[in-house]
Amino acid sequence: MLTYVNDSQYGIPRKCPCGGSIINEVSRKEENDTVPGKRFFTCKNYEEEIERLTKRVVEAEEVMLETTKLSREMERLEEKVQSLCEQVEYLTVHVGRLEKVCFD
Ligand SMILES: [Zn+2]
């Protein structure tokens, strides 16, 4: 907390550490607001940063959804491969029997 107190001695900064300019704001009256009209400041890049992060979250959610779909598809394909292996085994046994009948 000492660093906050120390920073407050310099007032509102002119530039954000990210390089963006500072916007001075006053909070609107909200329900249950104990300090209406309080002043605060944000970085000009704040909205863009929130927008960029929101976009990344949406992209990550799409990837997660796609991963779930691919996982289900893989399970379905594995079952199909298993079924095909059983059919090949069955046919191999029958071919063996037919070869014995025909060529022995
Ligand atoms: Zn900034």
Side-chain angles (χ1 to χ4, degrees), residues 10-81:
Y10 296 100
I12 294 173
R14 292 199 185 113
K15 282 266 182 198
C16 176
C18 78
S21 51
I22 295 295
I23 303 168
N24 290 310
E25 299 187 70
V26 178
S27 68
R28 283 180 233 123
K29 176 111 181 80
E30 289 170 23
E31 207 173 315
N32 301 326
D33 194 354
T34 53
V35 189
K38 64 184 163 225
R39 297 178 63 198
F40 62 99
F41 58 93
T42 55
C43 171
K44 186 184 170 196
N45 298 332
Y46 173 76
E47 293 290 329
E48 290 173 19
E49 186 70 5
I50 293 294
E51 212 169 278
R52 192 181 67 79
L53 290 171
T54 303
K55 195 177 164 198
R56 284 186 63 189
V57 167
V58 169
E59 285 169 0
E61 282 173 348
E62 284 171 3
V63 168
M64 282 164 45
L65 193 71
E66 203 59 37
T67 304
T68 306
K69 282 182 191 170
L70 285 173
S71 181
R72 273 193 227 123
E73 182 69 13
M74 248 174 87
E75 278 177 29
R76 200 181 62 77
L77 287 172
E78 280 172 356
E79 285 170 12
K80 201 167 188 174
V81 165

